[in-house]
Amino acid sequence: MRSFACFLLAAPLLASCAPSPPDKHSGHRHGDHDDLDHHDDHDGDHWEDHHPSTSCGSQPTKTSSTPPTSTTSCVPITTPTKAFTVIAAHSGSPIHLLPLEAGGLGFHLGGGTASYCPESVGSSCPPGNQTVFLGSSISVLVPGGQQQYVEPTGRVGYTQAHSAYMPTGSIPGGFNYYKCPSEPYGHITTSVFGATGLMACPDGSLGTQKYVVFANIPNAVVPSGNVQDCIGFDGLTIDYDGPVPAAWQYT
Ligand SMILES: *[C@@H]1O[C@H](CO)[C@@H](O)[C@H](O)[C@H]1NC(C)=O
């Protein structure tokens, strides 16, 4: 899935930078091997005229000098370089493209971010209306921060401000990040407790339906009591350019 997405995104980039002769296109896609073939077929000057690097000045990655080992893979970065927000992706499902938001010392999809800032902080309070991650956890201004964790039930939570408490057996952190350099979106996922990623589990206890975020494990203890009600999703990360931290604390 990851590799496939990278290829889909890489293909137009290569195509847009490839000049008109078809042999150059394939040389760019296949790397050194084709370049060597060109060298065999043409004299040096001619080959230089066709070298892809002369026509790809605006390309962000130098694929001509570092051809991918395969057109269907990328070397992802695994440490985010910027703060980011997250949206859920599972096309055709009711949660598709909903933002992942903090509230109730856990995460849900859609419905808004729950945050707090003391009156004494006044105009220095961050907006607090978006759930922003920095590194692999939520980013807050409150002294001591707030630690994200995964409970043995699968529920993804975070500590209350000024407290280190997390339920027994919880694993701090738990999110993995990866992003292909050419991709507009990164991804967060989790493998703690053998999870195969993230899932959204319906919770109708407050009258209105909402989806609570869990690690996707078969024995998760979910609000409806039936893990089959949950919807697996890909956590797409979007670079965030606003003020960081984006909240004093999430509640
Ligand atoms: C958050 O609040 C700020 C102002 O406090 C506003 O400019 C911004 O549009 C809001 N963002 C969202 C996602 O609601």
Side-chain angles (χ1 to χ4, degrees):
M1 188 65 182
R2 174 202 311 183
S3 301
F4 186 55
C6 290
F7 174 63
L8 287 179
L9 289 157
L13 184 67
L14 294 175
S16 68
C17 131
S20 41
D23 61 327
K24 293 174 76 175
H25 193 116
S26 67
H28 205 57
R29 294 275 291 269
H30 295 283
D32 284 337
H33 181 68
D34 276 55
D35 285 349
L36 287 173
D37 287 345
H38 282 252
H39 205 270
D40 289 342
D41 293 340
H42 306 290
D43 62 50
D45 288 346
H46 195 180
W47 184 78
E48 284 300 322
D49 287 346
H50 283 252
H51 199 278
S53 65
T54 58
S55 55
C56 297
S58 63
Q59 194 178 352
T61 53
K62 295 185 71 182
T63 54
S64 60
S65 58
T66 54
T69 52
S70 159
T71 53
T72 58
S73 69
C74 78
V75 179
I77 58 167
T78 54
T79 303
T81 55
K82 288 193 67 173
F84 60 86
T85 57
V86 177
I87 58 171
H90 183 140
S91 56
S93 81
I95 60 165
H96 191 46
L97 304 186
L98 290 178
L100 186 148
E101 295 172 318
L105 303 183
F107 296 94
H108 50 267
L109 300 180
T113 290
S115 69
Y116 168 78
C117 188
E119 248 174 60
S120 57
V121 179
S123 60
S124 299
C125 281
N129 56 2
Q130 277 184 284
T131 300
V132 175
F133 294 80
L134 193 60
S136 60
S137 196
I138 46 175
S139 156
V140 290
L141 201 50
V142 67
Q146 289 180 283
Q147 174 68 60
Q148 177 196 307
Y149 57 83
V150 183
E151 298 177 22
T153 61
R155 182 179 174 274
V156 184
Y158 52 88
T159 56
Q160 173 67 280
H162 314 294
S163 167
Y165 172 78
M166 53 185 84
T168 306
S170 295
I171 295 182
F175 280 177
N176 299 322
Y177 175 92
Y178 65 90
K179 183 183 187 206
C180 288
S182 60
E183 264 190 316
Y185 302 111
H187 307 261
I188 54 162
T189 184
T190 185
S191 59
V192 299
F193 303 120
T196 55
L198 296 167
M199 63 181 180
C201 302
D203 180 359
S205 65
L206 298 176
T208 51
Q209 181 85 306
K210 65 173 184 173
Y211 288 90
V212 182
V213 176
F214 279 73
N216 193 341
I217 52 176
N219 56 343
V221 182
V222 303
S224 74
N226 185 357
V227 77
Q228 300 299 326
D229 296 337
C230 302
I231 304 168
F233 68 88
D234 186 15
L236 297 182
T237 73
I238 302 171
D239 287 349
Y240 168 82
D241 291 316
V244 175
W248 173 266
Q249 74 185 68
Y250 295 108
T251 56

